Amino acid sequence: MSDKGRILSIQSHVAFGYVGGKAATFPLQCLGFDVDVVNSVQFSNHSGYGRFGGTKTSAVELTSIFDTLELNELLNPSRLLTGYVPNAEALTAVAEVASKLKKQKPDIIYMLDPVMGDSGRLYVAPDVVPVYRRLLSLATIISPNWFEVETLTNVPLKDMPSLRRALTILHTDYKVPNVTISSIPLQPWLVDAIPSHLRPTSEGPHLLCISSSSKFKSESESDRLSSVHAQCVPLLPGYFSGVGDLFSAMIVGHFEPSDASSLPSGKTPLSHAVSCALTKTHAVLVATHEYSEKLPLEDRLPTDDEQDKVEPMRKIKRMKGRELRLIQSMDIITGKAIKDLRHMEPWTGFWEEL
Amino acid sequence: MSDKGRILSIQSHVAFGYVGGKAATFPLQCLGFDVDVVNSVQFSNHSGYGRFGGTKTSAVELTSIFDTLELNELLNPSRLLTGYVPNAEALTAVAEVASKLKKQKPDIIYMLDPVMGDSGRLYVAPDVVPVYRRLLSLATIISPNWFEVETLTNVPLKDMPSLRRALTILHTDYKVPNVTISSIPLQPWLVDAIPSHLRPTSEGPHLLCISSSSKFKSESESDRLSSVHAQCVPLLPGYFSGVGDLFSAMIVGHFEPSDASSLPSGKTPLSHAVSCALTKTHAVLVATHEYSEKLPLEDRLPTDDEQDKVEPMRKIKRMKGRELRLIQSMDIITGKAIKDLRHMEPWTGFWEEL
């Protein structure tokens, strides 16, 4: 097992199941990283179950951990991964550490997942948003979802000009060199906009994953703001938790900026890392979906908001049956069980006005 | 990767390094277990560094997690592993869960590591001791060290009669079916007492590991209290933290009572599990020792209590250099890099008075 260095991972902890740190730590360890794990909450299970117990780690508690690590000269990771932090005070404590690490080691790889919400709904306190905006300039890579891009940039994404504007804001105003947006629903305007070779080759609903690197462009792209890559992935039915957390962990685990020169033409370190992350995350998701499909009917009753309210166990059992099959996917995570990569392909013409 | 079932692991969490849950979770996950992780503390690093920050999880917080898991029907592990819990209130909350699980599922495999102290010194509050005594009857296996056996039984271990008396108390009064005692310094009386084929074959200091099963005896042993096995392991110089935590995790991960009939004659499920655990733990320790020996001198200054007090970084750097090389030992943990098992051998005559 090769020695990949240390990652400091700051995100949520759940006793049961795989979201936040529980979705990130084991995969990164399997890739060979020593992971320094700081838990922003300790909950029984993720909040999607409807009922959860446990506590949030206060800013004072977080600071006590960070300060002692620093005092003991144990705060020197080569990579930093931050995810869900429940409130602005705690996130400010995390921001102080990120800032300190960046000053100490300007080439630290900081993967910032600005976990704020999904599908039009914030699930953190609103005062978290400006703290994330201030944090952006420290990040090497960010992995917002569709809604988080809109929240950070104040740009509603409805067409190519707005998508270009949002990426321009992130790269130029917020100085983020690498942006990846996963799981974008393939709306008609997006299908029309993507080059034909990127369109789905199979039937059924798909999601689009985009990566955009302003830092690593080929010579032919020197007049462009960034090098954009994309890939369509079949959408699996139903909702799985922790997928974004696993995806971000896999990106930071596979990102190797020093390899830029050895990459095939047209790839960037980000597009390569996202290709690996997308391939592995999708494979884990397929394994999870197949497992959940075989469960008894009572463990996979379909979402029904009214029924779910009356019988909380309906939803809880559904959530339980959809926990990521992470442990059983070790060979996927290490790459042993991966035959072909889902390559992120160059989106030529992204920056050209239609 | 085979599906080994769920283990609920309740012990300490440190951000940096490998003790408690950080020494147990990854190895158990590598063996194929889904591990439900409840943290009894969240510290920056282990207390042996001299300086540590963070917080203990209160009994109320623990109970909130356990109660929600139960309410959500997520509290049904096939195995339970408990380690360091810092005070009697928190341990009482853990005892309630253990008791509940045992009632629900009488054949649950409960590995109880009664973490209380080492080398004559308690490092938990004294009122923890009676709570551990009450917990013993629920355990399938316990893994006290030498000092913890003395503390639990009130028997100072100084000769074979006292060792027999202590094991009798644990098996008979406290009803523990499986006891393992690792890392017993090979004092002269112990060297004299062990059968010649168990004595060390190499020079240098050794430790003795003993396992004793009252539940799984061969027919020829039916008049004995238990079936005792032992093995000597070379003592590596210096102190390594988290070794006991890794050892207990590996025992519970390898313990298969249902395999009793398929085991070679003279083995018990416990002696087999301890053989695996001892082999792997020792191999990880050798890898750690080799790594630490190659560090610059300033990172491995020898213990010097006076100097260490004046310059805390001396000790801190030493501790850091001696953190278990767990991530780099994945192939040891899965067994891929293990050629031969260090077999626990039957200690025939253990129960015969000399």
Side-chain angles (χ1 to χ4, degrees), chain B residues 139-159:
Chain B
T140 313
I141 315 170
I142 63 170
S143 54
N145 62 28
W146 198 232
F147 171 67
E148 288 156 350
V149 172
E150 294 187 331
T151 306
L152 289 171
T153 61
N154 275 325
V155 175
L157 298 168
K158 57 182 198 316
D159 51 20

Side-chain angles (χ1 to χ4, degrees), chain B residues 245-259:
Chain B
D245 307 323
L246 172 61
F247 184 62
S248 296
M250 288 290 92
I251 295 174
V252 70
H254 284 288
F255 185 74
E256 297 298 344
S258 57
D259 287 355

Side-chain angles (χ1 to χ4, degrees), chain A residues 15-248:
Chain A
F16 186 97
Y18 301 98
V19 302
K22 279 282 285 301
T25 305
F26 175 66
L28 286 169
Q29 290 174 324
C30 285
L31 293 184
F33 290 96
D34 279 286
V35 187
D36 299 333
V37 178
V38 174
N39 302 315
S40 60
V41 309
Q42 176 170 216
F43 287 161
S44 55
N45 47 261
H46 71 70
S47 62
Y49 280 80
R51 294 194 294 225
F52 59 98
T55 9
K56 296 171 183 174
T57 313
S58 72
V60 172
E61 289 170 324
L62 288 173
T63 302
S64 152
I65 292 171
F66 296 138
D67 285 355
T68 316
L69 286 174
E70 192 187 6
L71 188 66
N72 287 351
E73 300 178 16
L74 301 175
L75 196 65
N76 34 29
S78 56
R79 298 174 194 224
L80 171 65
L81 167 61
T82 65
Y84 177 74
V85 177
N87 55 54
E89 294 73 34
L91 188 61
T92 302
V94 172
E96 275 165 29
V97 170
S99 168
K100 204 173 275 176
L101 289 172
K102 184 84 178 179
K103 251 179 227 145
Q104 253 177 45
K105 194 182 167 76
D107 64 343
I108 190 170
I109 297 172
Y110 175 17
M111 172 86 205
L112 190 166
D113 188 359
V115 181
M116 293 185 289
D118 204 356
S119 314
R121 198 178 63 85
L122 267 188
Y123 41 63
V124 290
D127 57 354
V128 161
V129 182
V131 188
Y132 270 124
R133 286 205 190 102
R134 286 198 299 277
L135 255 174
L136 289 176
S137 68
L138 301 175
T140 314
I141 315 170
I142 63 170
S143 54
N145 61 29
W146 198 233
F147 171 67
E148 288 156 350
V149 172
E150 295 188 329
T151 306
L152 288 171
T153 61
N154 275 325
V155 176
L157 297 167
K158 57 181 200 316
D159 50 20
M160 281 304 288
S162 59
L163 179 55
R164 286 192 203 103
R165 195 155 64 247
L167 278 178
T168 304
I169 292 172
L170 292 173
H171 283 310
T172 310
D173 300 357
Y174 289 115
K175 312 233 177 316
V176 181
N178 298 287
V179 176
T180 174
I181 315 171
S182 64
S183 320
I184 311 171
L186 253 188
Q187 290 158 282
W189 66 264
L190 202 51
V191 180
D192 290 346
I194 54 177
S196 56
H197 70 282
L198 289 179
R199 287 185 191 137
T201 49
S202 61
E203 288 292 307
H206 279 71
L207 296 170
L208 188 72
C209 175
I210 296 179
S211 74
S212 175
S213 290
S214 62
K215 211 172 169 183
F216 302 92
K217 289 175 291 181
S218 66
E219 274 178 41
S220 64
E221 292 176 313
S222 55
D223 57 334
R224 303 279 176 254
L225 181 67
S226 73
S227 171
V228 178
H229 291 72
Q231 163 77 258
C232 284
V233 192
L235 171 68
L236 294 174
Y239 188 79
F240 297 88
S241 299
V243 182
D245 307 324
L246 172 61
F247 184 62
S248 297

Side-chain angles (χ1 to χ4, degrees), chain B residues 11-321:
Chain B
Q11 43 189 326
S12 60
H13 173 78
V14 288
F16 186 98
Y18 301 98
V19 303
K22 279 282 284 299
T25 305
F26 175 66
L28 286 169
Q29 290 174 324
C30 285
L31 293 183
F33 289 96
D34 279 286
V35 186
D36 299 332
V37 178
V38 174
N39 302 316
S40 60
V41 308
Q42 175 169 219
F43 287 161
S44 54
N45 47 262
H46 71 71
S47 61
Y49 281 81
R51 294 195 293 225
F52 58 99
T55 8
K56 297 172 183 174
T57 313
S58 72
V60 172
E61 289 170 325
L62 287 173
T63 302
S64 152
I65 292 171
F66 296 138
D67 284 356
T68 315
L69 287 174
E70 192 187 7
L71 187 66
N72 286 352
E73 300 178 17
L74 301 175
L75 196 65
N76 34 31
S78 56
R79 299 173 193 225
L80 172 65
L81 167 62
T82 66
Y84 177 75
V85 177
N87 55 55
E89 294 74 35
L91 188 61
T92 302
V94 172
E96 276 165 29
V97 170
S99 168
K100 204 172 277 178
L101 288 173
K102 184 85 179 178
K103 250 178 229 147
Q104 252 177 44
K105 194 180 166 73
D107 65 344
I108 191 169
I109 298 171
Y110 176 17
M111 171 86 206
L112 191 167
D113 188 358
V115 180
M116 293 186 290
D118 204 356
S119 313
R121 196 178 64 86
L122 267 188
Y123 41 61
V124 291
D127 57 355
V128 160
V129 181
V131 188
Y132 270 124
R133 286 206 190 100
R134 286 198 299 276
L135 256 175
L136 290 176
S137 68
L138 301 174
T140 313
I141 315 170
I142 63 170
S143 54
N145 62 28
W146 198 232
F147 171 67
E148 288 156 350
V149 172
E150 294 187 331
T151 306
L152 289 171
T153 61
N154 275 325
V155 175
L157 298 168
K158 57 182 198 316
D159 51 20
M160 281 304 288
S162 59
L163 179 55
R164 286 192 204 101
R165 194 155 65 248
L167 277 178
T168 304
I169 290 172
L170 291 173
H171 283 310
T172 310
D173 299 357
Y174 289 114
K175 314 233 177 314
V176 181
N178 298 288
V179 177
T180 173
I181 315 172
S182 64
S183 321
I184 311 169
L186 254 188
Q187 291 157 280
W189 65 262
L190 201 52
V191 180
D192 291 347
I194 54 176
S196 55
H197 70 281
L198 289 179
R199 286 183 193 140
T201 50
S202 60
E203 288 293 306
H206 279 72
L207 295 170
L208 188 72
C209 176
I210 296 179
S211 74
S212 176
S213 290
S214 63
K215 210 171 169 183
F216 302 93
K217 289 174 291 181
S218 66
E219 274 179 39
S220 65
E221 292 176 313
S222 56
D223 57 335
R224 304 280 176 251
L225 180 67
S226 74
S227 171
V228 178
H229 292 71
Q231 162 77 256
C232 285
V233 192
L235 171 67
L236 294 175
Y239 187 78
F240 298 87
S241 298
V243 182
D245 307 323
L246 172 61
F247 184 62
S248 296
M250 288 290 92
I251 295 174
V252 70
H254 284 288
F255 185 74
E256 297 298 344
S258 57
D259 287 355
S261 58
S262 69
L263 286 170
S265 139
K267 310 268 173 210
T268 65
L270 178 66
S271 78
H272 175 72
V274 174
S275 300
C276 297
L278 198 62
T279 305
K280 293 179 176 183
T281 305
H282 188 70
V284 171
L285 215 47
V286 167
T288 305
H289 176 66
E290 284 172 359
Y291 170 83
S292 71
E293 287 289 289
K294 283 181 203 140
L295 291 173
L297 188 63
E298 59 173 71
D299 292 334
R300 51 187 175 89
L301 292 171
T303 304
D304 178 329
D305 289 344
E306 275 185 41
Q307 281 283 353
D308 288 354
K309 244 184 205 161
V310 185
E311 295 172 62
M313 283 311 297
R314 274 179 59 102
K315 190 182 186 180
I316 288 167
K317 285 183 177 180
R318 187 189 313 132
M319 289 293 164
K320 185 185 174 190

